[in-house]
Amino acid sequence: MKSIASNFKFKHGFAQVVSNIVQPVIVTIPVFVIINYFAAGGNNFLISTFICLLFGTFLPLIAALMWIKSKNLDLDVSDKDERTFPLLFGALSYIIGIIMLFIAGAPAVAAILMLCYLTNIILTIFVTFFWKISVHSMGIAGPAAAITCIFGYPGLLFGFPLIMVMWSRVYLNQHTPAQVIVGAVTSFTVTWMQFRLCMTYIPYLSLRIP
């Protein structure tokens, strides 16, 4: 009996750690850094990365934490109706970030990635009105699609953390299997299509990826 309880406690603790560490907004950090590193050089890398992290990571994160504290919510914001404000703020932050990237002359690929995040978050806002789609799954699958479009097979390395996150969200009863699967498939598909369209039909793009 004690062994069963210990096993449950370990699995629950592990699932909680995975869910807390692999937050969508946290995943943006390595993704923005990697893409800007290969797409920009010298000061352009620092400037474009700073803009991406400021408007794509830190401002949305701060807004979400302030909302959670003011409403006394859990970190997962389990009540889907309470997710609208942080999502809207994130969308506004991405819009400003895209504008700033163009003003700064940042690599187009950075702006495309920011646009993909914006599209996914707008889609999430609409879906959230009637269904609790998994933001965690979307936050991993989207970057996986972007990395795969740019670098090829290395993007598939996101598959392992995606599976772990999907499992943790279902195990913690935060989502149903359908919600994590639909979130992952939707985000991957939308991001993939946007990257392929931009890279194919916008002739002035200079992705500068080796």
Side-chain angles (χ1 to χ4, degrees), residues 120-139:
N120 280 318
I121 205 170
I122 291 175
L123 179 62
T124 303
I125 291 171
F126 282 111
V127 175
T128 299
F129 283 122
F130 59 89
W131 202 49
K132 189 182 176 185
I133 194 169
S134 176
V135 177
H136 275 71
S137 293
M138 296 183 75

Side-chain angles (χ1 to χ4, degrees), residues 1-32:
M1 196 72 175
K2 185 180 293 186
S3 176
I4 296 176
S6 298
N7 183 51
F8 171 80
K9 186 176 181 180
F10 171 79
K11 289 177 68 176
H12 188 274
F14 180 72
Q16 193 66 62
V17 168
V18 172
S19 181
N20 290 339
I21 291 179
V22 192
Q23 291 279 352
V25 71
I26 302 300
V27 175
T28 62
I29 297 176
V31 174
F32 280 131

Side-chain angles (χ1 to χ4, degrees), residues 94-180:
Y94 286 133
I95 292 172
I96 298 174
I98 293 170
I99 295 172
M100 293 300 296
L101 285 171
F102 277 109
I103 292 175
V109 68
I112 296 173
L113 179 58
M114 193 79 82
L115 175 63
C116 291
Y117 273 116
L118 173 62
T119 304
N120 280 318
I121 205 170
I122 291 175
L123 179 62
T124 303
I125 291 171
F126 282 111
V127 175
T128 299
F129 283 122
F130 59 89
W131 202 49
K132 189 182 176 185
I133 194 169
S134 176
V135 177
H136 275 71
S137 293
M138 296 183 75
I140 307 297
I147 296 294
T148 303
C149 279
I150 298 171
F151 299 103
Y153 291 116
L156 298 179
L157 293 175
F158 276 83
F160 178 71
L162 175 60
I163 292 172
M164 295 301 297
V165 166
M166 293 171 69
W167 166 80
S168 71
R169 302 303 288 168
V170 173
Y171 184 84
L172 295 171
N173 292 318
Q174 291 293 330
H175 290 286
T176 64
Q179 289 168 344
V180 296

